[in-house]
Amino acid sequence: MKRTFAVAAVVTSLALAAAGGTALALADDEPDTGAARTARTVTAAEADTTTTKADTTDKADTTDKADATDIGKALAAALAHTPGTAVAADREDDGRDAGAWEVDVVTADGTEYTVTVSPDGTKILGAHRDGGDDDGREDLAALKGTSVDAREAARAVAVKGTVTDVELDDDGGTVAWSVETAKSGAWTVDARTGEVAQDLDD
């Protein structure tokens, strides 16, 4: 009887020790696994935050560049005054508005307006509705499916020189922006791809 109890005690002790060892092993493994998983999650979150900040910075820089030129400011001011699609902008050479910008804007219903903006692109000097032809509707139809607007075209060419004129050109089946500069001549910007090429015909 004493031997049976002793054996039972030994078996019980071994079982408890084995169970304890298993429990300890599990306890030792679980924190390591959890800690590793947490570390990976934090690293991923930090990477995402960094990417988000970089993207925000890039967008802010792009916006600033878009408005850095007088023609960019003039286009923005004209569209704020008359919401729609800008299809042309050029600097007036003479008359009472010499130096000012004339921006052609087509509204959603195809009506075209000319908005006059101060030389520095910060003030609206006047606006009037253009004649009742179908040019506005044709311009909107030509721009359907494109991704580059007048401001982006002007900004793309601004690195070549001071932009004095931007105008939609859909002749020849290719929709592009014709952009004039003060010293480096004329350039074309593909309205779908944004590709810039020098206009050697001018």
Side-chain angles (χ1 to χ4, degrees), residues 74-162:
L75 284 162
L79 290 171
H81 179 272
T82 306
T85 301
V87 295
D90 67 302
R91 192 184 289 276
E92 289 297 294
D93 295 329
D94 49 30
R96 68 175 185 175
D97 292 328
W101 296 97
E102 297 285 337
V103 182
D104 293 335
V105 178
V106 180
T107 58
D109 64 358
T111 304
E112 188 168 341
Y113 293 84
T114 296
V115 183
T116 305
V117 186
S118 62
D120 62 359
T122 62
K123 184 179 179 181
I124 301 298
L125 303 180
H128 66 271
R129 179 176 175 173
D130 290 347
D133 53 35
D134 294 327
D135 287 349
R137 290 186 180 86
E138 291 173 1
D139 288 339
L140 290 183
L143 286 170
K144 189 174 182 179
T146 63
S147 58
V148 180
D149 62 21
R151 288 178 68 189
E152 292 167 332
R155 184 171 71 246
V157 177
V159 296
K160 311 292 184 182
T162 302

Side-chain angles (χ1 to χ4, degrees), residues 7 11 16 92 101-102 111 126 150 154 180 183:
V7 171
V11 171
L16 289 173
E92 289 297 294
W101 296 97
E102 297 285 337
T111 304
E180 297 275 352
K183 295 182 179 180

